[in-house]
Every structure is written in C-alpha cells, then in structure tokens.
Amino acid sequence: MKYTSSEGNLFFKMMHDYLLIYLPKQKCSSPYTVMSCRTAINQMLDYFQAKLAVPLKAISFESLTRDEIMSFLDHLR
C-alpha cells in the first residue's frame, strides 16, 4: 500500500464532512442515522487498521480496494 499524507487527510476530511455536513444538513438524516453511520465507519477503520497492520492515519482511499471492502463485509457476516 502506498501512502501520502494528503491522501489520508483527504480520506478523513471526506469522512468528517460526510458525517457532519452531508448527512445531517444536506440529506437531513436523523441523529440516529448519523450515529449509526459513524459506528459503521469506525468498525470499518478498526478492521482495516488491524488487517492491514497500519496506523490509522495510513488508511486512505487507495488502501480501501474492492477486495478489502468485500473482506470487511464478509467479516461482518
């Protein structure tokens, strides 16, 4: 996995904006929906941090391949 700080910063900025701007303000999602999405994202980040054996800040869009996401979904089942 390649990592540059700008990729990681972009990933976490977009997650932040999704949870604090898009869901509650643009989509008018309930606080419970936002909390549920936050929990799911945190579970995904914990999984990838452990599976990829990288620090949290090293997770980026580039590291979350289709196969990695499918692996996470299999893990949830």
Side-chain angles (χ1 to χ4, degrees):
M1 166 183 45
K2 297 178 194 169
Y3 169 72
T4 64
S5 62
S6 63
E7 290 171 355
N9 291 340
L10 177 62
F11 177 80
F12 288 101
K13 167 121 176 61
M14 290 185 79
M15 291 299 105
H16 174 270
D17 290 352
Y18 177 75
L19 292 170
L20 297 179
I21 297 171
Y22 176 73
L23 286 177
K25 296 179 182 171
Q26 291 181 352
K27 196 164 186 227
C28 298
S29 297
S30 77
Y32 297 107
T33 299
V34 175
M35 184 172 44
S36 177
C37 288
R38 181 184 310 272
T39 299
I41 290 170
N42 285 337
Q43 288 176 334
M44 181 187 73
L45 291 174
D46 289 343
Y47 174 80
F48 287 123
Q49 187 178 6
K51 182 176 189 293
L52 301 174
V54 296
L56 185 60
K57 68 180 182 178
I59 297 173
S60 68
F61 286 115
E62 185 179 84
S63 63
L64 301 180
T65 65
R66 180 185 186 281
D67 290 339
E68 296 297 344
I69 292 169
M70 294 303 293
S71 173
F72 171 66
L73 294 175
D74 288 341
H75 167 76
L76 292 177
R77 285 188 245 159

